Amino acid sequence: MTKKEKRSFNQSLAEWKLFIYNPTTGEFLGRTAKSWGLTVFPKPVTALEYSFTVSDPESYKGYIEDLRKFLKPYESEEQKNLTACSDGALFEQKGPVYSACQFPLPLLQACSGVDDPDFGYSRGSPCVLVKMNRIIGLKPQGMPRIECTSKSENTATLSTYPFNGVIDLKYFPYYGKKLHVSYLQPLVAVQVSFNATSSTTNEVTVECKIDGSPNLKNQDDRDKFLGRVVFKVIARA
Amino acid sequence: MGRGGKKGTVTPRELNPSPRLKRGPKMGKRRKMKRKKKKTDMEELKKEVVLVRTPPPSLVLLLRSGLSIRPWFLSTQGLSPERAQEILKKNGPNALTPPPTTPEWVKFCRQLFGGFSILLWIGAILCFLAYGIQVHYKEDSTKDNLYLGMVLAIVVMITGCFSYYQEAKSSKIMESFRNMVPQQALVIRAGEKMQINVEDVVVGDLVEVKGGDRIPADLRLISTQGCKVDNSSLTGESEPQTRSPDFTHENPLETRNICFFSTNCVEGTARGIVIATGDSTVMGRIATLTSGLVVGKTPIAAEIEHFIQLITGVAGFLGVSFFVLSLILGYGWLEAVIFLIGIIVANVPEGLLATVTVCLTLTAKRMSRKNCLVKNLEAVETLGSTSTICSDKTGTLTQNRMTVAHMWFDKTIYEADTSEEQTGKTFAKGSTTWFILARIAALCNRADFKPNQETLPIAKRATTGDASESALLKFIEQSYSSVEEMREQNPKVAEIPFNSTNKYQMSIHLQEDGSQAHVLMMKGAPERILEFCSTYLLKGKEYPMDDEMKKNFQNAYLELGGLGERVLGFCFLNLPSTFSKGFRFNTDEINFPMENLCFVGLISMIDPPRAAVPDAVGKCRSAGIKVIMVTGDHPITAKAIAKGVGIISEGNETAEDMAARLQVPVSQTNPREAKAIVVHGSDLKDMTSEQLDEILKNHTEIVFARTSPQQKLIIVEGCQRQGAVVAVTGDGVNDSPALKKADIGIAMGISGSDVSKQAADMILLDDNFASIVTGVEEGRLIFDNLKKSIAYTLTSNIPEITPFLLFIILSIPLPLGTITILCIDLGTDMVPAISLAYESAESDIMKRAPRNPKNDNLVNNRLIGMAYGQIGMIQALAGFFTYFVILAENGFKPIDLLGIRLNWEDRFFNDLEDSYGQQWTYEQRKVLEFTCQTAFFVSIVVVQWADLIICKTRRNSVFQQGMKNNILIFGIMEETFLAAFLSYTPGMDVALRMYPLKLPWWLCAIPYSVLIFVYDEIRKLTIRRHPGGWLERETYY
């Protein structure tokens, strides 16, 4: 083999190396790093459509029960063994014992179920929880928050709790089911309040997205749940 | 059967010029009757053509020819144009009805729906059915089944088009053989000579032919002048035959006064009355017989049918059992049906049809390079299964060129050089006797070289004149000196040409020494020549003829004749000075001495065997192929050539030989003891089929001599009754029924007639028997290699099916999808499978017996067992290992995957938890699933490396076989690069849902690859160590 050939071989090898792992984009063999999936809670019977009648408690009883069950681990009684971590920074741990941060239920304010055991359903302004899928080792950059918008602005106003839909960095990274026992994933609640109460049926489509974090995607052609979620609320009088 | 009957006589009815008319009145009768009638017609056609006695004027003929009662056969006026027109209208044009050619679209459809394709079609239809069910009952169903169905359909169509194109290409080559120039005929109508198209010639026409013409119809000659015809296309007789108005034989093929449609007039002129035109001619009858013969399935077609049965059996078994299983597991009916269809379709080897077609095409190409042009692809393999070859002698086994083989002068037999390239030995050229012999041979000779061939070697130059004279001419030119100069220096002054009554030829030449004297030279049948002689020449000196010399002569004559050679005697006389220059010799009333000549010697000629033939026959023998010679030639010549080329091997003798050796009459010998036999055509004619079977069974070395080409058909059928796969060579029109009936008909490219080429499956471009043997070798090799290709292709079926099966029973995410399966079958597996067609033979394939079509199948249970049951299982393990590794690496432990299917497939379940508490959206899971499928696919590619290497051999170790097959190495590289390409090319995730893999995931399958290799090497080692042992019986395919 001549020298020249060797050099070009080395060059192409370098190109290959770049392809296999690109340190600037964090791509491995062309694969991108993982990202959060957003899901909503409670799970509606029909795909992502919360439909209920305000005057009929039976129609939303299921939602309320699901929410209560889901929020059980978040009650202060359950959280007393967890660490009260400092806000605004990643909570990186070296082990061997990993502690979980507290997520005080009152953060969810009107949707915490503390003041309103019906989570707003009986008043026609239902609460929906938006949660981030747990992914081991994922460290969000910047100030991640959940931004929710209604497709038709006039019909409803959206309130997000905690304030501004902020997700605190202290809940990350996640170390897995076995190591990170009783880990509580941070939640964001969205409350839909319809403006026109006169009409019999109110309907709104809500889109929630992760915002404020450069390494968290919220736009994927194929995955409609990557960093975003869309749901519809139909409240009959 | 016709052959069982006595001498078949054909009544005049059979010569009816209009078969349509003959059938006319019977049309109304019941169908059954008609069919029966047709059958007897066929039997009738198989018989020898024997005309009624034809001394003119035959009343029947007279009436039928539609002529007035005038002594028409003496007529010089011919038909009136109006009458001719009438007859033409009634009988139709004088042309052979072309055999019912299959329309192109039928041929195309046959390619599209025949054999293997049907399997794929059924698969495609099932896919569409499954898709239909899914669409009907579910709104958001995957389109996989639709795509699969379409891909299957496209594959069949492309392969169909490909093989149709291949065949069309071969038939195009065929067409180029055809002489498209419209033929003209010279007829006399109303006393006027006119050129008309051959098609317009009618029964009763008076026709004139001259040397070089094609005979326009069956003619009964009324006058001739030195007319000779070449009947070779009809009878296989290569010598031109004299024609005269005399009725000489009962057999119309032998009698001199009949010329046959589409034979050639070589020299002279003749005038005759047309007795039959078009389909009613002898030629036409043969053509009709040919197109009416029912041809059996080709062996490879039978093999593929067998294979389809096996595959269908496996598919059906798997499908039904998993159908039941899925019902037991609680799936709905609908899902179970979808599974059933899915499993059946998964068993269809999508790429195999294309692989087999390409392999056969490649071999066909290779064969045509070796001078075997194969007309249809399936014939490629048929040649390999051949167990009996019925070969012509002239032109196929021999050079088709009379050549001087021996000389006898000075009481010694000298051998001449008969090799094709003239590289043999020389002889005593110093003798004066040789000098004189050569001069006689050169001067008393009417043959001449055609002009403008000085550059060609002498042996290859074309000549005018008959075969023996040409042989002498070439021989003298080669071994003595220029004949032309000799003839210039010794001008011919008188001549008596050869005729069959004289049996000699005489010419008188002026001496070249300027003495003004003449010399009389004579050559002819040795016994005739000897009668003229009173002295003989020995070492240049004349001695009076004595008894000893006569005895020597007899011995030499017998010896040369016994070699099957045509012997000519030569003598001369120096005419006394009274006959010096200026004397007017009169050859009609002889006015010069023609006795007391001086005998010089004998020259014998033979059409020598082709150089490569003895080896080829030897190869056939070791390959267990019986070579039967079928020739129109004399038994002695036939036997001599048969011995010369090894068809009758050294040490084997016929009953006659045995009788001669034991000095007892032939009747006292036990014909069973004689392995060899020479059967005379006239004996064959009187034989029952049982007697023929007896001969074919009890003799290993058979020569049929003096046979008419029709008898070939009988011989072929006899061989087929013995269960043999018969290859037949033929060139004449008369051979075409045999060519068609044979399992593989081989026509001669150079000397063959168009009709024979039409009927044949294969065309031998160089007319050489040895090419058949190379063809057989190729055919056998491709059969072996197809086995390997199929074993290779089928193996990957198991890692393709098992994922679906486990998907059903374990409810795990689908480990291998439809697209990836297609990528294997139609992508990565393709080139490696085809590359096995280039594999060289493991052992000398020409040293084993031909395969027995009954039990040596292309695909047998053992092959399926090895491919599916053993190697395929290891491959599946490799795939699943990779699959579970990747899932585990991503958080899904195998145990947690069991039963996950319903949640996994739920589009709205976007926080599915894995074994580590991570949550996955539907799409993320799917990406993971498709990554696993890509990895499974890559694993199959990796284990197929090993499979390809082990499939190279069936018995030998790879270390014995070597890795010399570059195409195969290319195949391995190609499949690897293709797999990498499919996995890493950006955009593939959208196009084919294939995802890039981490490098270590490629390695997961490597141990399994090694395992496959080692496992199979051990298996083969055991087979080699214990031939015929349990392992061989169970696993050697």
Side-chain angles (χ1 to χ4, degrees), chain A residues 19 28-29 31 35 37 39 43 47 131-136 174 176-178 185 222-223 225-226, chain B residues 893 908-911 913 915-921 923-924 931 989-990 993 995-999:
Chain A
F19 170 69
F28 177 83
L29 286 174
R31 293 162 61 83
S35 204
T39 49
K43 286 205 168 161
K131 61 188 184 68
M132 281 61 67
N133 279 351
R134 290 189 295 263
I135 291 170
I136 293 174
Y174 173 55
K177 190 158 78 174
K178 286 214 179 106
Q185 56 197 127
R222 201 175 265 159
D223 197 340
F225 294 88
L226 197 72
Chain B
K893 290 182 179 167
F908 298 102
F909 199 156
N910 280 295
D911 49 359
E913 221 172 280
S915 315
Y916 295 90
Q918 305 187 91
Q919 291 168 315
W920 296 74
T921 65
E923 198 51 45
Q924 283 171 329
T931 307
D989 54 337
V990 183
R993 301 235 64 177
Y995 287 86
L997 300 179
K998 286 187 192 171
L999 279 188

Side-chain angles (χ1 to χ4, degrees), chain A residues 167-209:
Chain A
I167 301 162
D168 202 294
L169 290 179
K170 64 184 175 187
Y171 302 102
F172 307 100
Y174 173 55
Y175 289 101
K177 190 158 78 174
K178 286 214 179 106
L179 298 175
H180 219 157
V181 190
S182 59
Y183 169 82
L184 289 176
Q185 56 197 127
L187 302 172
V188 170
V190 190
Q191 188 161 35
V192 182
S193 320
F194 292 100
N195 299 336
T197 41
S198 56
S199 65
T200 46
T201 305
N202 288 303
E203 201 180 306
V204 72
T205 305
V206 179
E207 188 184 18
C208 295
K209 274 184 182 174

